[in-house]
């Protein structure tokens, strides 16, 4: 098991591939991550125990705040600034993935029979 210490607790990678990552995170009470955004990754949080507050900065410059408890989850879209903070010792899964652009095809001809 590979553990990585963070200022707010620790993270343990469970699955790491080019298209999805799952980390088990432990966040100390009062611990919080930096305000940040991911260029292409969608970021989800699923709380196993404790309480995790997810802050999301929207286009209208207000901050949306969601409190997650055991069994709750929240998704942050790629490109959106966010931050988490634990209001008690918290265990959670942090999941990252990317979505394919289904409109990425550029046709020069039309198929046929």
């Amino acid at each position: 098991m590979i553990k990585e210490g963070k200022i707010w607790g620790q993270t343990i990678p469970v699955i790491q591939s080019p298209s999805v990552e799952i980390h088990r995170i432990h966040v100390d009470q009062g611990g919080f991550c930096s305000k940040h955004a991911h260029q292409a990754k969608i970021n989800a949080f699923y709380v196993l125990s404790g309480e995790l507050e997810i802050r999301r900065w929207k286009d209208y410059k207000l901050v949306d705040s969601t409190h997650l408890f055991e069994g709750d989850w929240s998704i942050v879209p790629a490109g959106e600034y966010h931050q988490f903070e634990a209001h008690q010792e918290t265990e959670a899964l942090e999941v990252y993935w990317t979505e394919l652009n289904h409109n990425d095809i550029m046709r020069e001809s039309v198929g046929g029979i």
Side-chain angles (χ1 to χ4, degrees):
M1 176 178 353
I2 299 171
K3 292 182 182 178
E4 182 179 343
K6 299 283 189 172
I7 194 166
W8 44 260
Q10 69 181 16
T11 182
I12 302 168
V14 177
I15 294 173
Q16 290 183 299
S17 77
S19 60
V20 68
E21 290 185 23
I22 300 174
H23 297 252
R24 184 179 181 113
I25 61 173
H26 172 86
V27 188
D28 298 327
Q29 182 173 359
F32 59 94
C33 71
S34 63
K35 176 184 173 184
H36 65 282
H38 303 282
Q39 292 179 26
K41 293 190 286 189
I42 298 163
N43 198 179
F45 300 91
Y46 177 82
V47 174
L48 300 168
S49 65
E51 178 186 356
L52 196 64
E53 179 182 2
I54 308 297
R55 295 184 195 100
R56 296 169 54 187
W57 280 261
K58 303 290 190 164
D59 292 337
Y60 43 81
K61 302 200 191 267
L62 296 177
V63 180
D64 283 346
S65 176
T66 303
H67 290 255
L68 304 176
F69 299 92
E70 184 178 331
D72 291 340
W73 62 287
S74 182
I75 297 175
V76 178
E80 186 174 272
Y81 279 89
H82 60 284
Q83 179 181 53
F84 63 74
E85 180 177 356
H87 294 290
Q88 54 185 273
E89 295 285 317
T90 300
E91 295 287 331
L93 295 177
E94 186 172 19
V95 182
Y96 302 99
W97 72 92
T98 57
E99 289 186 355
L100 294 174
N101 178 354
H102 298 285
N103 296 315
D104 72 342
I105 192 166
M106 297 176 358
R107 298 183 196 280
E108 286 193 13
S109 66
V110 179
I113 53 173

